[in-house]
Amino acid sequence: MRPLTTFLLLVVATLVAPLAIAGTWLTARVDDRDEYVDTVAGLADDQRVRALLAEAAADGAFTALQQHIPVGLPEAVREWAGVAATAVVESPEFPTFWRQANGDLHDQVLAVLEDPGAPADGMITVDAGPLVAQVLLQLEERGIPVGLLPRIPLLVPVETEAKVAEAGPAYRTADGVVRLLPLVWLGVVALAVLVARGWRGRVRAAAGALLGVAIGAGALLLTADPLAGAALDRVEVQRRELAGVLLDTVIGSVEPYARAFLWAAPVGVVLVLLTLWSGRRRESTFPPAADH
């Protein structure tokens, strides 16, 4: 009876494992502001991100110049703005801007997800105003009187707040449950180890739990791409360029995170082999008595 109980508990632990891993990933990579920023920081070198923000900054600077200096602008000012914007997004300072912008973006998203009463009639945006300011400074070197301009805000839309709010109920439910799943897994595994018979049985129960973790990590790896595709399908087509890159990167971080749990497989195998080796050694130490 005890071996069967141990086996059933290990099956439950294996079923919980992928959810527990996903839960720790959600807490580590999505809920935590600094971890999220670290996850998407590499996109500062992504040419799609740079091109999109350079175009937005150039358009923002050119529009501001037309509004505040309606006469006397050179015909080539739009071209100059484009060149300046490209230089800005390729500068060493751009990664710092990108980290700050995504920290603010993270705050906006969580504010909508966590508060069911939060207004959801606006946009989730990236503040590209600092890029516009840098573009204007470079245009000043060409003789454009940008000192006449006020501070130019530029909010690049990522997604509607209403669309993000649709995921709020699922997020709040999942966020509450997933924090408990690692504890549930530990409790089930501890019970399986306690129920197992003898030290070998307990070691094998621990090994089975570790193998279950590896199986759970493998299952999570198999679902990472479908999850990314499903999330991207929820993004409006006209906003997929920036939002899609961010989603791909965040959800794509599931794979290396889950892959780190695959170490449990060789450790589990070693523990099983240890118990088998110990059993055989014990049998060789006490050979069967000879018949007379």
Side-chain angles (χ1 to χ4, degrees), residues 238-256:
Q238 64 269 31
R239 308 192 196 286
R240 282 191 179 179
E241 192 164 5
L242 184 55
V245 172
L246 290 168
L247 275 174
D248 279 345
T249 302
V250 173
I251 298 179
S253 69
V254 170
E255 293 190 17

Side-chain angles (χ1 to χ4, degrees), residues 185-250:
W185 181 87
L186 284 173
V188 172
V189 171
L191 188 58
V193 171
L194 289 173
V195 169
R197 181 177 299 166
W199 75 268
R200 290 187 186 83
R202 293 189 177 96
V203 172
R204 288 173 183 171
L210 290 173
L211 292 172
V213 168
I215 291 171
L220 196 56
L221 286 171
L222 292 176
T223 60
D225 284 342
L227 282 174
L232 188 58
D233 287 342
R234 295 181 62 84
V235 178
E236 296 181 11
V237 175
Q238 64 269 31
R239 308 192 196 286
R240 282 191 179 179
E241 192 164 5
L242 184 55
V245 172
L246 290 168
L247 275 174
D248 279 345
T249 302
V250 173

Side-chain angles (χ1 to χ4, degrees), residues 64-76:
L65 289 171
Q66 286 184 315
Q67 289 176 349
H68 296 281
I69 310 176
V71 295
L73 288 176
E75 293 183 0

Side-chain angles (χ1 to χ4, degrees), residues 1-28:
M1 184 64 181
R2 292 174 71 178
L4 177 60
T5 302
T6 301
F7 173 76
L8 292 177
L9 288 170
L10 290 177
V11 170
V12 172
T14 300
L15 294 175
V16 171
L19 301 177
I21 294 172
T24 58
W25 168 81
L26 183 66
T27 300

